[in-house]
Amino acid sequence: MSNQEIRERETVVIIGSGPAAWTAAIYAARAQMKPFVFEGAGSRTMIPGGQLMFTTEVENYPGFRAGVMGPDLMVEMREQALSFGTRSIWEDIVDIDPGQYPFRLRSNTDTEVLADSVILATGANAKWLGLENEERLAQSGGGVSACAVCDGALPHFRGDTLAVIGGGDSAMEDALYLTKFAEQVIVIHRRDKFRASRIMSERALAHDKIRVEWNKLVTEVIGNETITALRLQDTVSGEVSELEVRGMFVAIGHTPNTGFLNGVIELKENGYVQTPTAWRTETSVPGIFAAGDVMDDYFRQAVTAAGTGCMAALEAERWLAHGGAKGHEEP
Ligand code: NAP
């Protein structure tokens, strides 16, 4: 689609291309809102489609009793949205002017688009250690993951030794979850004290399948087809060691993709979008809604993202139908 065509005034612009974005698009398209989706320009670490593009088998998305590959699920969601008339472009929105109505949005190619309503669904990225082999084995299903709840139950991880990297609540939760499948779970933490809440730390430390490698940094992920070991470095003594594992779960936090929203809408202290009313997706700016991981620092599941995508589209439709836009002054 050429830039010329999208200088139109759109009823709803959706930013993102994960489950939240495509579900919002499906609902908006079926409601005759002709959604326009900015799927993202893609980069070395993020491709349109979101985090599921980095996942292999998804076994907890309802409707697929034999499981579904993450990228296949995203293709299906996208095609479903397009089949109802959704239009899309592979560009990022880099700026939104909330002071003007209709909202004025600018993309990374300097394309401008006007929007009566906006749905933010840019997601969050799991943080990675940034090691060679890590991303490759995560993408190939080689035993490296940033989501224990998504991947932990896969056959590959059963009955063996798994590593969890991190010392926060996510790492504790992941380690405890993985004890259901693993023979042993080794938490690798770079300090001698967990950041996690006391209750979560104690629960993990008390579990007979969990042990901790304190003061250790992972310096290398070893393995060709699948992970076989980790190279560790002691942060105190500098000593280097090798640890045999069949899986590595990175749990060192997430970063919401909200950099372009600074000063546009209210963000929480941790950078996620603030949606002030429970069970609503409207942000601090009426007419701008948020769905999926960009506003959810708690559940972060594909199915919850899809659910909030549906909510955002319904809210945008109702907001427009009930004259919400009248509260904004048009130039
Ligand atoms: P977090 O609290 O930021 O913890 C991240 C952990 O990863 C820290 O221990 C940190 O080490 C470590 N880390 C960060 N970068 C690293 C690196 N490059 N190499 C090695 N280690 C690294 O993140 P989170 O655990 O995802 O939790 C995020 C928020 O969600 C928290 O508020 C948490 O309480 C909440 N949460 C709650 C629950 C629950 O209540 N059930 C479950 C999950 C998350 P340092 O400690 O040395 O900085």
Side-chain angles (χ1 to χ4, degrees):
M1 180 158 296
S2 76
N3 292 354
Q4 195 66 36
E5 281 173 89
I6 63 162
R7 285 204 182 107
E8 303 286 330
R9 178 170 175 169
E10 301 287 347
T11 305
V12 59
V13 165
I14 299 169
I15 312 171
S17 50
W22 293 123
T23 306
I26 291 164
Y27 273 78
R30 287 175 47 78
Q32 310 293 333
M33 293 167 80
K34 301 192 173 73
F36 197 96
V37 177
F38 280 82
E39 293 190 47
S43 67
R44 208 173 55 80
T45 51
M46 193 32 80
I47 44 178
Q51 291 191 81
L52 281 183
M53 301 304 283
F54 293 92
T55 310
T56 49
E57 193 87 16
V58 178
E59 289 183 329
N60 56 8
Y61 198 88
F64 300 91
R65 76 171 124 158
V68 58
M69 296 301 280
D72 293 347
L73 181 59
M74 292 327 302
V75 168
E76 286 303 319
M77 285 193 196
R78 182 176 187 274
E79 290 302 322
Q80 190 176 352
L82 298 186
S83 76
F84 291 116
T86 299
R87 294 149 305 136
S88 78
I89 191 169
W90 282 8
E91 287 185 14
D92 286 326
I93 289 295
V94 294
D95 191 40
I96 300 178
D97 184 349
Q100 277 203 31
Y101 193 82
F103 304 114
R104 185 179 288 270
L105 287 69
R106 187 168 56 80
S107 83
N108 59 308
T109 62
D110 271 341
T111 302
E112 289 205 337
V113 58
L114 300 177
D116 290 338
S117 63
V118 175
I119 296 176
L120 307 168
T122 44
N125 293 354
K127 289 185 194 161
W128 294 93
L129 297 169
L131 297 171
E132 216 185 314
N133 259 350
E134 182 191 32
E135 192 176 313
R136 183 180 65 79
L137 290 175
Q139 280 186 39
S140 68
V144 174
S145 166
C147 182
V149 177
C150 317
D151 299 330
L154 296 176
H156 176 91
F157 296 112
R158 288 178 186 247
D160 231 304
T161 301
L162 305 178
V164 173
I165 321 300
D169 280 330
S170 295
M172 301 304 112
E173 199 167 64
D174 286 3
L176 286 161
Y177 180 75
L178 292 169
T179 58
K180 294 177 207 263
F181 318 106
E183 174 78 22
Q184 187 177 38
V185 180
I186 303 173
V187 177
I188 300 171
H189 184 39
R190 62 185 178 183
R191 292 191 291 134
D192 61 357
K193 194 173 180 302
F194 284 143
R195 175 180 297 277
S197 58
R198 195 166 150 192
I199 184 166
M200 295 289 283
S201 307
E202 284 177 357
R203 207 174 285 163
L205 289 169
H207 201 289
D208 59 4
K209 280 191 180 177
I210 298 178
R211 76 172 176 87
V212 185
E213 287 278 355
W214 299 104
N215 297 321
K216 296 287 189 308
L217 277 181
V218 179
T219 55
E220 193 183 341
V221 177
I222 302 167
N224 290 325
E225 298 285 299
T226 66
I227 184 172
T228 55
L230 294 173
R231 182 130 29 234
L232 306 180
Q233 182 167 31
D234 193 296
T235 53
V236 180
S237 66
E239 194 184 315
V240 174
S241 57
E242 216 173 283
L243 183 71
E244 273 186 36
V245 294
R246 279 270 291 164
M248 174 174 87
F249 289 83
V250 182
I252 60 172
H254 285 76
T255 312
N257 297 315
T258 52
F260 69 111
L261 295 172
N262 262 324
V264 176
I265 54 169
E266 272 175 35
L267 302 177
K268 295 191 219 171
E269 222 168 73
N270 61 8
Y272 286 77
V273 173
Q274 183 85 260
T275 47
T277 312
W279 289 96
R280 290 284 186 276
T281 61
E282 194 166 69
T283 66
S284 58
V285 176
I288 301 185
F289 304 85
D293 286 11
V294 78
M295 49 78 88
D296 170 18
D297 55 9
Y298 190 74
F299 295 108
R300 301 192 189 111
Q301 300 299 299
V303 66
T304 49
T308 51
C310 156
M311 289 159 65
L314 291 176
E315 265 191 277
E317 185 197 358
R318 288 172 193 172
W319 183 79
L320 290 168
H322 292 117
K326 285 192 195 130
H328 286 282
E329 275 184 31
E330 298 211 15

